[in-house]
Amino acid sequence: MSKKDPVKMNTSSTSRYHFGISGLQRTLLLFVVLPLVLFTALGIRFGLGQASQFQEQRLKNDLELIGRAISIPVGTALDKGDMHAVELALGSVFVLGEVYGASVFDVAGNRIASAGITETDLTGTTIPDRIRTTGEGQEAFSRVAGRSLFSHFLPLFDAAGQIQGLIQITRRASDFGHALQQLTIIAWLVWGSFSLVILAGVLLGHYGGVGRHVDKLLKHMQRVAGGDLSHRAALDGPSEVASLARGLNHMLDSIEQAHRDLDEHRAAETQLVARLKDNEKMVAIGSMARGIAHELGAPLSVIDGRARRLERSGSLDEQQLRNVAGIRSQVGRLTRTVRQLLDYCRPAATQPRELTPQVLIEGVIEAIRPELEAGDRSLQTRIPADLPAFCGDAGRLELALLNLLRNALQASTSQIGIAAEADAQSLTIRVSDDGPGLPAEHDLSTLLEPFFTTKSPGEGTGLGLAIVQAVAEEHGGHLSLANQAGGGCEARLQLPLTGNTKEATA
C-alpha cells in the first residue's frame, strides 16, 4: 500500500470527526448518555406511577369521606320515611364540586332516591350482596349514560344497627387521569430538557476535554503517515491522550533508531564484504608472492655466491670488478625484496616474552647503523632508561622498527630520529625524518595497503608499512602516520603495556 492511501484515510476520518460524530462520541452516547437518559425516564415513569396511585387513592378517600358524612343523615331520614330530607342530603354533596352523582338503594339494590348521574338498578350486580355480607364499603367502575364513572358504595344502618340500604357516591373516572395530566406533561418536559442538557454537556465536554486533543493527535499521525518520521506529537491534553502521544513518539524514536541501526548494519556489512574481498585478494597475492620468493631465493643465493667467488679470485680487472659489484648490488636488492615478501606472507607465529624497550631499540639502531653511514644520515635518539618492560615478540618488533627506520632513511635528506615514551597504558615509539612528508592525495589506509608505494619504480616493494601494521595488530597496538609542523613525516607505533599480544592473551 502506498503512503498516499493511509494519508487519505486519516484525512477522511478527521473530517468525520469535525463534521459528524466520531466513534468515541458514539461510544459515549451509547454507553453513557443513553443509559443515563433511560434510567431517568424509568425513574420519572415510576415516580408518576406512584403519584398516580397516591392521587387515585386520595380521590377515593375523599369520596368515602363524603359518603360517610351523608350516610348518617340519609339513614336517619330513611328511618323516618322522609324522602325530601334524603334528597336534600344527596344534593348537598355537589357543594364540594368533586361529586358527579349520589344515590340511595335498598338492601336488594333498588334505587330509592338519586341526585346527578348514578346507577339506576343494582339488583343485577353483586354489590348489595357483598355489602350485606361484609358490612363494609365497596368500589366499582361502571359506564352510565355513555360516561365512565367510579362509584363508592357504603352501607346505611338503621337505629338498631341493621343494614337498611346502601348509598352510592360517583365521580367521573377521567378525574383520576386529569389530576396528574399536568404533572406528567411537566415531568416529561423536564426530562426532555435534562436529556438535551446531558447530550450537549457530554458532546461539548468531550470535545473540550478530549476531542480537540485527539484531533491534534490525529493531525500528528497524519504528518507521520505522510512520511515525516522526524515529527513528534505534543504532550498536551489529558494524561491518557498525553500517554498516547508519548507512546507514538517512543514508537517513532524506535523506528528512527531502527533505521539508523539498519543503515549502520548495512554500512558495516558493506565494509565487511569489501574487507573480505580485500582479504581474499591479499591471500591470493600472498600465496603467489610466497611462491615467487621461494623460487627466487635459491637462484639469488647461487648468483651472489658465484659473484663473490669471482670477486675474490684476483683474475678480474677493474672494470670487471665493478661489473661484479653491480651484480652483487642488484642481487642484494632482490634478496631484500624476497625477504620482505617472506616477512609479510609467513604466518604471524609470535613468541612473546618480557622485553626492555631501551635494549630492543638499541639493537635495532645497531642493525641499521651501516645503512645510516652508507647514506650519510645522522640519527637523533631520545630513549629514556626507565621505560617500563612489556611483553612482545622481539623478532617481529625488530622487523617493524627496522622497516620504519629504513623508510625514514630513504625519505630523509640529512637526518632521522627515534624517540620513545610511556604512560600507564602504552609504550609509544616515534620515528621521524626531515624529508618532504606524506603526499596529501593519499590517506592512511591507502599508505598501509600492501604493495602500495610512493617511491619510484624499482625503489620499493610497498610492503614495509604493511609489515609494520601487521606487527602492530599482532601485539594489540596500532600504527599512525602524520606530517610534522616543521617538515618531514612522523610514524608512531603504539603498543599496550599489558595483554599486548594475541598469543599472550590466548
Side-chain angles (χ1 to χ4, degrees):
M1 181 181 291
S2 65
K3 289 185 177 180
K4 293 183 179 179
D5 292 334
V7 173
K8 185 176 181 180
M9 180 182 65
N10 289 343
T11 303
S12 61
S13 63
T14 304
S15 299
R16 287 196 302 271
Y17 187 84
H18 280 300
F19 303 107
I21 297 179
S22 67
L24 185 56
Q25 288 176 331
R26 285 195 297 270
T27 302
L28 287 174
L29 293 178
L30 182 61
F31 293 101
V32 177
V33 176
L34 182 59
L36 185 59
V37 170
L38 291 178
F39 283 138
T40 55
L42 291 175
I44 290 175
R45 183 174 180 181
F46 177 78
L48 289 175
Q50 293 296 316
S52 176
Q53 293 178 5
F54 174 78
Q55 182 69 10
E56 181 178 343
Q57 188 63 41
R58 187 182 69 82
L59 294 177
K60 291 179 179 180
N61 292 338
D62 290 345
L63 287 181
E64 182 179 1
L65 291 175
I66 293 172
R68 292 186 183 280
I70 67 172
S71 63
I72 296 174
V74 170
T76 303
L78 284 178
D79 284 342
K80 295 178 179 180
D82 188 354
M83 298 305 298
H84 180 67
V86 171
E87 291 177 358
L88 289 177
L90 293 177
S92 65
V93 299
F94 294 101
V95 178
L96 300 175
E98 295 180 352
V99 177
Y100 197 56
S103 299
V104 176
F105 298 86
D106 59 17
V107 292
N110 298 307
R111 189 169 69 177
I112 300 173
S114 67
I117 299 175
T118 62
E119 297 284 351
T120 59
D121 185 15
L122 295 179
T123 57
T125 66
T126 60
I127 293 177
D129 294 335
R130 282 186 287 167
I131 290 179
R132 288 195 304 268
T133 303
T134 62
E136 295 178 354
Q138 301 293 323
E139 296 175 348
F141 284 92
S142 61
R143 192 167 187 84
V144 179
R147 295 179 178 86
S148 180
L149 300 177
F150 173 78
S151 300
H152 189 82
F153 299 91
L154 288 173
L156 294 174
F157 297 94
D158 57 15
Q162 298 297 321
I163 297 177
Q164 60 177 344
L166 55 97
I167 185 172
Q168 177 189 22
I169 307 296
T170 64
R171 71 183 306 162
R172 287 172 300 198
S174 59
D175 292 343
F176 294 96
H178 291 160
L180 287 175
Q181 185 176 6
Q182 186 177 5
L183 177 61
T184 301
I185 294 173
I186 294 174
W188 288 115
L189 286 176
V190 171
W191 173 81
S193 301
F194 176 72
S195 300
L196 291 176
V197 170
I198 290 179
L199 179 62
V202 168
L203 293 179
L204 293 177
H206 166 264
Y207 181 76
V210 178
R212 59 191 180 95
H213 300 293
V214 174
D215 187 22
K216 292 180 182 179
L217 185 59
L218 290 175
K219 291 182 180 179
H220 293 313
M221 295 175 67
Q222 181 179 350
R223 288 188 58 178
V224 173
D228 188 4
L229 296 180
S230 62
H231 179 69
R232 295 295 181 268
L235 302 179
D236 54 3
S239 59
E240 292 80 2
V241 178
S243 297
L244 289 176
R246 191 177 298 107
L248 175 63
N249 293 341
H250 180 70
M251 180 185 67
L252 293 175
D253 292 339
S254 300
I255 293 175
E256 192 171 7
Q257 181 62 41
H259 285 174
R260 286 196 297 266
D261 294 342
L262 182 59
D263 292 339
E264 292 176 0
H265 178 72
R266 288 174 177 170
E269 185 177 1
T270 302
Q271 294 178 356
L272 179 59
V273 171
R275 274 201 301 270
L276 288 175
K277 290 181 178 179
D278 291 340
N279 290 340
E280 292 175 357
K281 179 178 68 176
M282 295 313 303
V283 168
I285 293 174
S287 299
M288 181 185 67
R290 186 164 53 251
I292 294 174
H294 282 294
E295 292 296 327
L296 291 179
L300 289 176
S301 298
V302 173
I303 294 173
D304 186 63
R306 292 185 178 182
R308 187 186 305 112
R309 191 175 303 167
L310 284 175
E311 194 175 35
R312 293 176 180 176
S313 65
S315 59
L316 302 178
D317 56 23
E318 184 176 351
Q319 181 61 36
Q320 291 174 332
L321 287 173
R322 284 198 297 271
N323 291 338
V324 170
I327 291 172
R328 293 197 63 194
S329 174
Q330 294 302 314
V331 169
R333 188 175 67 83
L334 288 174
T335 301
R336 287 192 299 272
T337 299
V338 170
R339 189 179 298 114
Q340 282 191 331
L341 285 172
L342 291 175
D343 289 337
Y344 179 74
C345 297
R346 68 165 55 101
T350 57
Q351 298 178 353
R353 59 185 177 85
E354 187 174 281
L355 301 176
T356 302
Q358 183 182 13
V359 175
L360 175 66
I361 296 174
E362 288 178 353
V364 173
I365 292 174
E366 290 301 320
I368 203 172
R369 192 176 298 280
E371 298 181 36
L372 291 172
E373 294 174 353
D376 194 20
R377 302 290 192 272
S378 62
L379 176 65
Q380 304 293 327
T381 62
R382 190 170 70 254
I383 314 298
D386 58 349
L387 292 174
F390 69 104
C391 187
D393 187 312
R396 297 289 288 173
L397 289 173
E398 288 176 357
L399 176 63
L401 293 176
L402 279 173
N403 276 283
L404 288 178
L405 287 172
R406 190 170 286 118
N407 281 350
L409 175 63
Q410 294 172 355
S412 65
T413 57
S414 60
Q415 69 175 11
I416 62 175
I418 183 170
E421 60 186 13
D423 55 23
Q425 305 295 328
S426 60
L427 169 69
T428 303
I429 301 175
R430 308 173 189 269
V431 177
S432 58
D433 62 69
D434 59 354
L438 297 174
E441 64 271 16
H442 300 300
D443 56 14
L444 179 60
S445 60
T446 303
L447 295 173
L448 296 180
E449 287 184 2
F451 305 105
F452 177 84
T453 180
T454 58
K455 300 174 184 176
S456 301
E459 294 186 5
T461 62
L463 290 174
L465 291 178
I467 292 173
V468 178
Q469 174 71 8
V471 174
E473 291 178 352
E474 292 168 11
H475 289 75
H478 67 272
L479 172 67
S480 60
L481 304 173
N483 286 325
Q484 300 181 101
C489 172
E490 181 183 79
R492 180 182 301 176
L493 177 61
Q494 191 170 13
L495 302 170
L497 293 177
T498 57
N500 52 338
T501 66
K502 295 180 181 179
E503 294 293 334
T505 304

